[in-house]
Amino acid sequence: MIKPKTAAEIDALARGGARLAAILRQLANNCVAGRPVRELNDIAIDLIAPEDKAAFFNYRPAGASRPYPAHVCVSVNDAIVHGIPSESDHVLADGDLVTVDMGLLHDGLITDSARTLVVGELTEKKSALLQTCQQALEAGIAAAKVGGHVGDISAAIQAAVGDEYSIFRSLVGHGVGYSVHEDPLVPNFGHPGTGPELVEGTVVAIEPMIGLGTGDIITDPDGYTYRTADGSLSAHFEHTIAITAEGPRILSQE
């Protein structure tokens, strides 16, 4: 069941989202060659204001064997999402593809956002992958309108991705705000006019996740990290948005 947010709650989410965006920007700036991934979790902790909390830390989704043990998700190269930096021995190197993904609890409400970047030199192949994923996110956001349906968002993302890249179909966006995961689920593929109706005040995290390989995924023994089954690279971009009478409002930007 979708739980719409009030105008005051949406404003509060935007304030928290601006803080989250600032943290992600600084984390991205710290993704440099020679830095242990483990340090990014420590940096995230230092960047969170005393009155705020990392929404993922100690969060235990349904079916998980343990709570998530880090304050930010950091996924490198073939890791698509939910990589655990506090348990990583990887040291960033030139050419690494890095996704930083974080939720922030501010004023009792949660925003969620992610971005993928390349450490060092950005090749044409990697640039095209990131650009396509960003454009898919933008297309999904543009399709999020009052009176529309979740399938409108999904179809717009799928069309923007096209046939050159794979979509990880078991990994989807979701409602957010009162908790990390709420209704509705927002797949990255689908048909216009299908799925739940988008009512005013709906807040969702739209997050296309695409890759260069087959689209099949595996889960690490840590229980959280999803990887491409064939070891290929992936990208992940995400914004929390509110669906308003004036159009979609991005809540996770500075």
Side-chain angles (χ1 to χ4, degrees):
M1 178 178 174
I2 298 176
K3 300 176 181 178
K5 279 67 177 177
T6 66
E9 288 173 329
I10 290 171
D11 286 341
L13 284 162
R15 292 191 294 272
R19 294 185 177 205
L20 173 58
I23 292 171
L24 287 178
R25 173 176 50 79
Q26 293 177 76
L27 284 172
N29 290 339
N30 277 280
C31 290
V32 295
R35 182 178 300 283
V37 167
R38 189 181 297 265
E39 289 184 1
L40 294 174
N41 191 66
D42 298 329
I43 293 170
I45 293 171
D46 290 341
L47 291 172
I48 299 169
E51 64 271 23
D52 296 336
K53 293 182 179 179
F56 299 165
F57 181 59
N58 279 334
Y59 174 69
R60 187 172 182 174
S65 61
R66 60 172 177 152
Y68 187 76
H71 290 69
V72 59
C73 300
V74 181
S75 306
V76 182
N77 293 328
D78 62 325
I80 306 163
V81 70
H82 301 162
I84 304 174
S86 57
E87 298 179 358
S88 174
D89 294 323
H90 185 77
V91 177
L92 294 178
D94 282 338
D96 276 349
L97 213 59
V98 185
T99 297
V100 287
D101 178 9
M102 186 173 175
L104 190 72
L105 176 67
H106 170 76
D107 201 16
L109 293 162
I110 295 168
T111 49
D112 187 0
S113 186
R115 63 184 69 178
T116 302
L117 59 106
V118 175
V119 177
E121 183 179 357
L122 183 61
T123 64
E124 183 177 344
K125 186 175 184 180
K126 292 173 183 176
S127 177
L129 174 65
L130 300 190
Q131 185 176 10
T132 298
C133 196
Q134 285 182 298
Q135 290 173 343
L137 173 59
E138 293 166 2
I141 292 171
K145 300 176 181 179
V146 173
H149 293 262
V150 167
D152 301 340
I153 300 173
S154 304
I157 291 172
Q158 185 176 10
V161 172
D163 298 327
E164 186 174 351
Y165 302 99
S166 58
I167 293 173
F168 303 107
R169 294 193 169 211
S170 60
L171 303 176
V172 301
H174 52 88
V176 68
Y178 304 121
S179 63
V180 173
H181 292 117
E182 300 177 6
D183 291 333
L185 296 179
V186 186
N188 294 310
F189 65 98
H191 301 284
T194 63
E197 183 179 354
L198 300 172
V199 300
E200 186 173 359
T202 300
V203 174
V204 291
I206 299 176
E207 48 180 326
M209 289 162 273
I210 67 172
L212 296 175
T214 64
D216 296 327
I217 65 174
I218 56 175
T219 307
D220 273 4
D222 65 22
Y224 279 99
T225 306
Y226 290 104
R227 295 185 184 275
T228 60
D230 57 7
S232 59
L233 298 176
S234 67
H236 173 202
F237 286 86
E238 176 183 19
H239 269 312
T240 296
I241 70 155
I243 297 167
T244 76
E246 292 75 32
R249 178 181 177 185
I250 299 175
L251 304 176
S252 50
Q253 62 183 2
E254 293 184 85

